[in-house]
Amino acid sequence: MDEARPTDARRRLLNAANPRGGWGERAGVPSRAEPTALACLALAGETSAEAPLALAARWLAARQGPDGAVTAAEALPGVAWATPHALLAWRSLGVDREAQKRAARCLLARSGAVSEADAVVGHDQSLIGWSWVEGTHSWVEPTAWAILALASTGDRGHPRVEQGLALILDRSIPTGGWNYGNRTVFGRALRPHPGPTGLALLALAHLGGPTPPAVTKAICYLKDVLPATRAGGSLAWGVMGLKAWGAAPPESPRWLATALDDSDHPDQVSRKAALLLASAQDPLARFGLKAGNAPR
Amino acid sequence: MTPISPSRRRFLAVAGIATTSAMSAQAWAGRNERGWRSDVFIARAGSYSVDLRQPIIEGLEALGIVHEVVRGKTVLLKPNLVEPAAKAPHINTHPTVVLAAAEAFRCLGAASVLIAEGQGHVRDTELVLDESGLGAELRREGLPFVDLNHDEVDEVPNALRLTGLKTLWLPRAVRTADIVVSMPKMKTHHWAGATLSMKNLFGIMPGVCYGWPKNVLHREGIPQSILDINATARPHLAIVDGIVGMEGDGPIMGTPIDSGLLVMGTNLTAVDATAARLMRLDPSRIAYLAGASGRLGPIAESHIGQRGESIASLAQTYALLDHPSLAGLRA
């Protein structure tokens, strides 16, 4: 990839940092936990970013409550789905070990609500993962983030992580891939989407043993759709999912570079951070994964 | 909390939209909608390739939304972009209808028109805009898009409290717009019966607060949530894309059905009751419309002034899923 592209994207991302710490969803709006954590993951190790990253880590720490939960924004008390994002950000920056431990304890204490069995819903509703909002059902993306965070801090063998991995496998779309977390409803297979598919593959890189068919199908799905995907976030998470399984096509750096070049989205922080992260030398290391970690 | 702007209050008065506070104590059942009356305009529109701006302007003017009402206002158009699917365009409000509405409001003197959505199924808004085809059109026309899932939010009292939620988080863009327009696709819905302009407002509820797919609202009950959101957000207008609708396993897995119409009105309950009749569904058997009757508007034909085309001339039977929960919805 032309090195000028990521350099320019990094500069724009740094310029979007808020002076009091953290990043908003776009330049000039108040900081939120998710874009802040993604920017930290993308910029970790950049010497030119040390000051804003330190501020960002402190901004995230200020959002952490006594129970370890990290709220999404100053103005959103009780919205804590970005707790694993913050944990991974602190870990990638090598800071706030105590905050990481509190966040991990919080994740292990929280769980998605179990719904009453409903025959029209095609997934196993007894499996417990993580929810977006306390008191609601478990879904794929928050479960994947929680698994990545917990596994990165040494809880890979915890039964909650095991069950979370089982939940993700159970929610795979019959034709391959994942969406937000409904595989079939009223007997119809729903559509997969590249972003959650990539994130699910990242989390499933913590599986041991032979490659499950759901993973093989998901890799085929992503290889089919990503060449035509221009949406930066979907593309970035899709490529990272493929990288976790050693399946990223040689053209994927070019896809990422093209998306980084897209001038229609100059200041969207989460998009840019995800693309930079996916373009990094070793994005898997930011999640505590090694290339080839996943079983073949 | 951001107050409702003075110009928005004026619009509410002009559009004849009643406040809900006086009605919030009424019981769920047995309400009286005799005090309600609202006009609904039905336009014939054979395809997305015909001029849609003209019938929309005609409808707006028939509803009293004329230059003096729109001039200088900020108009927020909220289409239904529930899920990206380039191969199933009938899921989402067609870009041509959105652009035609934007152009109509510009012609009527709007100071600004913005498009806003907080889609429920996919977090990547760029993907939704790309796959629906709307993103390229908005860039071409210079129309701004607001991602309601990630907008700044205000916590406001829940005006109806049929759910257990004391307050609702509403996006700043919705709170500050002078005219909020719900622009749904005319579709069946496998949980709610039909998804129209009232249900479309699930999409203004920020995912950052309610999750994806708006988990809190599903937990609290779909009909109850629809009513609470509509009573609290108080949208001003609906323009329903019924040119190609969706029947069967809506809102995302159903099949396209050519209906060739647009439905418009300032009272969303009345608009949705009319659209339900156009789908040959009985609005009084759709839970959220039954609940809205007398609280948020009228659903009885005798309380709705029909303008433009007649229901009889354009109604057609929308297939429903073969499931006991939907068996009683047919008119």
Side-chain angles (χ1 to χ4, degrees):
Chain A
M1 188 192 303
D2 177 359
E3 183 56 26
R5 286 162 172 156
T7 301
D8 183 58
R10 275 194 291 271
R11 181 182 56 76
R12 295 183 79 103
L13 188 55
L14 281 168
N15 287 343
N18 281 319
R20 290 175 54 215
W23 278 263
E25 285 295 339
R26 59 186 189 281
V29 301
S31 296
R32 286 197 171 161
E34 184 187 32
T36 297
L38 292 176
C40 289
L41 284 164
L43 297 171
E46 299 272 348
T47 49
S48 62
E50 279 177 5
L53 289 175
L55 270 177
R58 284 203 290 278
W59 185 89
L60 286 170
R63 305 281 80 72
Q64 190 174 40
D67 64 348
V70 177
T71 55
E74 283 181 281
L76 293 173
V79 177
W81 53 263
T83 300
H85 303 61
L87 190 162
L88 284 161
W90 289 322
R91 186 193 165 280
S92 69
L93 299 176
V95 299
D96 285 317
R97 288 190 185 279
E98 283 307 310
Q100 291 178 49
K101 287 180 187 171
R102 286 197 298 275
R105 280 199 298 274
C106 169
L107 288 172
L108 290 173
R110 291 186 175 211
S111 55
V114 176
S115 306
E116 282 183 34
D118 185 335
V120 304
V121 174
H123 61 258
D124 183 347
Q125 292 161 82
S126 69
L127 290 171
I128 295 172
W130 283 265
S131 59
W132 292 105
V133 182
E134 281 282 277
T136 62
H137 198 44
S138 306
W139 296 101
V140 164
E141 287 147 301
T143 298
W145 275 102
I147 289 169
L148 288 166
L150 288 167
S152 77
T153 52
D155 281 313
R156 160 64 188 90
H158 197 283
R160 289 289 315 280
V161 173
E162 291 287 351
Q163 188 163 175
L165 290 165
L167 181 146
I168 291 176
L169 284 174
D170 177 66
R171 302 288 184 93
S172 67
I173 305 288
T175 54
W178 283 266
N179 57 23
Y180 56 91
N182 262 336
R183 66 191 309 271
T184 69
V185 178
F186 286 101
R188 294 282 296 271
L190 303 189
R191 296 179 184 86
H193 299 118
T197 299
L199 188 58
L201 285 178
L202 262 181
L204 290 174
H206 286 292
L207 278 170
T211 301
V215 168
T216 308
K217 284 191 201 175
I219 289 170
C220 289
Y221 160 71
L222 284 178
K223 286 184 169 180
D224 187 36
V225 299
L226 288 186
T229 300
R230 294 289 169 266
S234 297
L235 180 63
W237 291 106
V239 168
M240 284 189 274
L242 290 178
K243 282 187 174 180
W245 290 83
E251 314 88 85
S252 59
R254 181 167 48 78
W255 303 339
L256 296 169
T258 302
L260 273 172
D261 263 354
D262 187 344
S263 58
D264 290 328
H265 312 280
D267 294 315
Q268 291 183 7
V269 167
S270 293
R271 176 188 194 276
K272 195 174 298 296
L275 285 166
L276 278 171
L277 179 58
S279 305
Q281 194 75 27
D282 185 8
L284 303 180
R286 317 279 168 97
F287 297 98
L289 288 161
K290 294 176 189 157
N293 212 35
R296 297 288 195 277
Chain B
M1 186 188 305
T2 305
I4 293 176
S5 67
S7 56
R8 182 165 169 175
R9 287 186 194 283
R10 282 197 294 277
F11 181 86
L12 287 165
V14 169
I17 297 170
T19 61
T20 56
S21 57
M23 293 174 288
S24 61
Q26 292 181 5
W28 174 268
R31 284 163 315 284
N32 184 339
E33 65 172 51
R34 275 180 299 185
W36 287 93
R37 181 172 174 83
S38 187
D39 285 353
V40 172
F41 185 88
I42 303 172
R44 197 181 287 270
S47 79
Y48 295 108
S49 57
V50 302
D51 173 18
L52 297 176
R53 186 189 66 165
Q54 196 50 42
I56 288 174
I57 289 179
E58 189 184 337
L60 291 173
E61 290 180 343
L63 296 164
I65 303 171
V66 293
H67 189 265
E68 289 71 25
V69 177
V70 177
R71 186 177 54 211
K73 301 294 196 301
T74 297
V75 180
L76 183 148
L77 305 180
K78 195 287 181 194
N80 183 229
L81 303 175
V82 63
E83 181 170 305
K87 293 176 182 170
H90 52 292
I91 292 177
N92 301 314
T93 307
H94 198 283
T96 306
V97 181
V98 180
L99 294 184
E103 185 61 23
F105 279 106
R106 283 172 162 173
C107 287
L108 290 173
S112 62
V113 180
L114 51 96
I115 319 302
E117 169 66 305
Q119 74 282 351
H121 289 183
V122 181
R123 300 199 67 222
D124 188 350
T125 302
E126 187 186 355
L127 184 72
V128 176
L129 289 171
D130 280 359
E131 298 267 316
S132 68
L134 183 59
E137 297 291 334
L138 296 184
R139 285 192 291 275
R140 188 169 57 80
E141 295 296 324
L143 285 162
F145 181 87
V146 179
D147 180 349
L148 298 179
N149 279 325
H150 295 289
D151 193 24
E152 296 304 299
V153 293
D154 296 310
E155 187 176 17
V156 300
N158 180 348
L160 209 50
R161 296 212 42 192
L162 296 176
T163 66
L165 305 172
K166 292 179 184 171
T167 59
L168 297 178
W169 294 99
L170 294 182
R172 187 75 46 84
V174 172
R175 295 270 298 150
T176 54
D178 298 310
I179 301 174
V180 174
V181 186
S182 178
M183 297 192 65
K185 193 78 168 168
M186 196 158 98
K187 297 189 288 189
T188 54
H189 191 287
H190 56 210
W191 303 122
T195 175
L196 297 159
S197 67
M198 295 178 72
K199 171 70 173 66
N200 183 40
L201 294 194
F202 261 45
I204 68 168
M205 305 305 280
V208 70
C209 302
Y210 294 99
W212 288 265
K214 312 291 164 86
N215 319 124
V216 175
L217 306 178
H218 287 90
R219 180 193 66 194
E220 295 290 323
I222 292 175
Q224 296 91 328
S225 294
I226 291 171
L227 294 171
D228 278 1
I229 294 164
N230 278 270
T232 305
R234 298 167 66 194
H236 308 97
L237 179 71
I239 302 174
V240 181
D241 172 8
I243 296 174
V244 177
M246 178 187 284
E247 64 177 346
D249 192 3
I252 57 171
M253 302 306 293
T255 51
I257 173 169
D258 290 334
S259 292
L261 58 90
L262 298 166
V263 190
M264 303 165 59
T266 55
N267 183 289
L268 274 63
T269 301
V271 168
D272 286 3
T274 299
R277 291 190 172 94
L278 286 161
M279 301 160 84
R280 294 215 172 99
L281 301 174
D282 182 347
S284 70
R285 298 181 187 184
I286 295 172
Y288 68 86
L289 286 176
S293 164
R295 278 196 178 93
L296 300 178
I299 64 170
E301 276 189 281
S302 57
H303 298 147
I304 300 173
Q306 214 64 64
R307 311 289 298 271
E309 303 289 335
S310 68
I311 292 175
S313 68
L314 287 167
Q316 61 184 140
T317 301
Y318 272 48
L320 293 168
L321 268 188
D322 183 16
H323 190 269
S325 63
L326 302 171
L329 301 185
R330 194 62 74 194

